[in-house]
């Protein structure tokens, strides 16, 4: 009968969709790594403008992740925030790299989380995007990093006790320009040089190195992975679009299935 045929069609479609979803779940670790890398590539290529320049930045980030034993994608996310400032003419590529490496070392030395790093970089972006640094933006940079305020004070040329307080007072008095903060920060971050590389024998570093190697292996097989998964994803999308557009028919069909 027509109802039975409809029920059979719906059953086959559902089975096909669920089979595709099961395949996606099997590939979940692979796809998660590949998706993250592709998204990073898109953002960075958009900022640097050419595929040639992207490859240079990619090589830099991969090497830095190896040298500093950091997960590649979070490291790249931090770098992308700074490259956005480079595109605005606020930082040079060399300055963006020095700040990235400085914060990576500070992260290892101080135990800064990825979330805190994002908070710090947001405050820094705000501070560097205007002529005079505000106290609120300075606080966003220094609060998750105990000791950085004193390092900024020493880098600014203050000596003796209370060098951090003296630097903060300069900011409150409106005497710290974005350029001065940038140059002082790059100098201050040198206090943490070598902290990331010193983690090389830690198990956490070993696991991050392994995670990066796995991710790069997945990217090396990007084309065959994509060619396998793209038809499956398209089929699932078509099936779910069909069912969402035919909800009343599907409901009747499911009731029919229950009666057969």
């Amino acid at each position: 009968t027509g109802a039975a045929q409809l029920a059979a069609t719906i059953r086959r479609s559902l089975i096909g969709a669920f089979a595709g979803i099961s395949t996606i779940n099997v590939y979940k670790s692979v796809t998660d790594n590949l998706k993250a890398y592709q998204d990073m590539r898109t953002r960075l290529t958009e900022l640097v403008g050419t595929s040639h320049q992207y490859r240079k930045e990619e090589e830099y980030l991969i090497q830095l992740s190896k040298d500093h034993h950091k997960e590649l994608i979070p490291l790249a996310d931090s770098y992308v925030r700074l490259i956005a400032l480079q595109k605005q003419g606020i930082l040079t590529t060399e300055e963006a790299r020095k700040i990235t490496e400085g914060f990576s070392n500070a992260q290892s030395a101080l135990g800064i989380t990825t979330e805190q790093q994002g908070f710090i970089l947001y405050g820094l972006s705000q501070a560097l995007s205007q002529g005079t640094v505000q106290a609120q933006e300075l606080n966003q940079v220094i609060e998750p990093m105990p000791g950085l305020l004193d390092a900024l004070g020493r880098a600014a040329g203050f000596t003796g006790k209370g060098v951090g307080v003296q630097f903060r007072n300069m900011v409150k008095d409106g005497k710290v320009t974005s350029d001065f903060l940038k140059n002082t920060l790059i100098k201050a971050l040198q206090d943490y040089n070598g902290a990331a590389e010193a983690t090389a024998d830690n198990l956490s570093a070993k696991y991050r190195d392994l995670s990066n190697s796995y991710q790069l292996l997945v990217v090396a097989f990007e084309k065959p992975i994509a060619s396998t998964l793209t038809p499956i994803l398209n089929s699932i999308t078509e099936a779910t679009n069909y069912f969402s557009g035919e909800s009343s028919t599907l409901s009747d069909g499911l009731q029919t299935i229950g009666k057969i």
Side-chain angles (χ1 to χ4, degrees), residues 70-99:
K70 294 293 173 62
E71 289 187 25
L72 178 58
I73 297 302
L75 187 65
D77 286 341
S78 296
Y79 187 59
V80 165
R81 289 172 182 254
L82 296 170
I83 287 296
L85 297 178
Q86 185 254 345
K87 189 174 183 179
Q88 298 172 43
I90 296 171
L91 295 175
T92 65
T93 300
E94 182 181 2
E95 289 168 341
R97 291 185 176 189
K98 285 181 178 179
I99 294 173

Side-chain angles (χ1 to χ4, degrees), residues 85-213:
L85 297 178
Q86 185 254 345
K87 189 174 183 179
Q88 298 172 43
I90 296 171
L91 295 175
T92 65
T93 300
E94 182 181 2
E95 289 168 341
R97 291 185 176 189
K98 285 181 178 179
I99 294 173
T100 299
E101 292 164 24
F103 276 133
S104 175
N105 278 314
Q107 187 177 34
S108 296
L110 303 174
I112 301 168
T113 66
T114 301
E115 183 179 2
Q116 287 174 317
Q117 183 91 325
F119 184 74
I120 291 166
L121 287 170
Y122 176 78
L124 181 63
S125 297
Q126 295 292 104
L128 295 182
S129 297
Q130 51 194 338
T132 303
V133 178
Q134 305 298 313
Q136 180 180 354
E137 286 132 14
L138 175 68
N139 288 338
Q140 280 190 265
V141 175
I142 64 173
E143 283 179 356
M145 301 178 65
L148 180 60
L149 182 59
D150 284 346
L152 285 167
R154 290 190 295 272
F158 294 116
T159 58
K161 294 183 179 180
V163 291
V165 173
Q166 294 178 71
F167 186 83
R168 188 192 292 276
N169 288 337
M170 277 187 67
V171 173
K172 289 180 179 179
D173 293 340
K175 296 178 179 179
V176 176
T177 66
S178 57
D179 277 344
F180 183 78
L181 175 64
K182 174 185 67 177
N183 295 328
T184 305
L185 177 65
I186 290 172
K187 186 176 180 181
L189 288 172
Q190 292 175 9
D191 283 6
Y192 305 101
N193 280 356
E197 292 185 22
T199 67
D201 292 329
N202 296 355
L203 283 177
S204 57
K206 298 294 185 186
Y207 273 98
R208 287 191 291 268
D209 290 346
L210 177 60
S211 175
N212 288 336
S213 294

Side-chain angles (χ1 to χ4, degrees), residues 217-234:
L217 176 64
V218 168
V219 172
F221 288 92
E222 179 176 2
K223 288 185 179 179
I225 291 169
S227 64
T228 299
L229 292 179
T230 297
I232 297 172
L233 291 168
N234 289 340

Side-chain angles (χ1 to χ4, degrees), residues 40-56:
M40 178 275 290
R41 178 196 295 149
T42 299
R43 293 195 301 272
L44 192 51
T45 302
E46 176 65 23
L47 287 170
V48 300
T50 66
S51 57
H52 173 71
Q53 185 61 35
Y54 164 75
R55 284 191 294 272
K56 290 174 63 176

Side-chain angles (χ1 to χ4, degrees), residues 13-33:
S13 298
L14 287 172
I15 290 171
F18 286 130
I21 292 170
S22 297
T23 301
I24 296 300
N25 287 335
V26 170
Y27 279 91
K28 189 175 187 308
S29 175
V30 172
T31 55
D32 285 350
N33 277 276

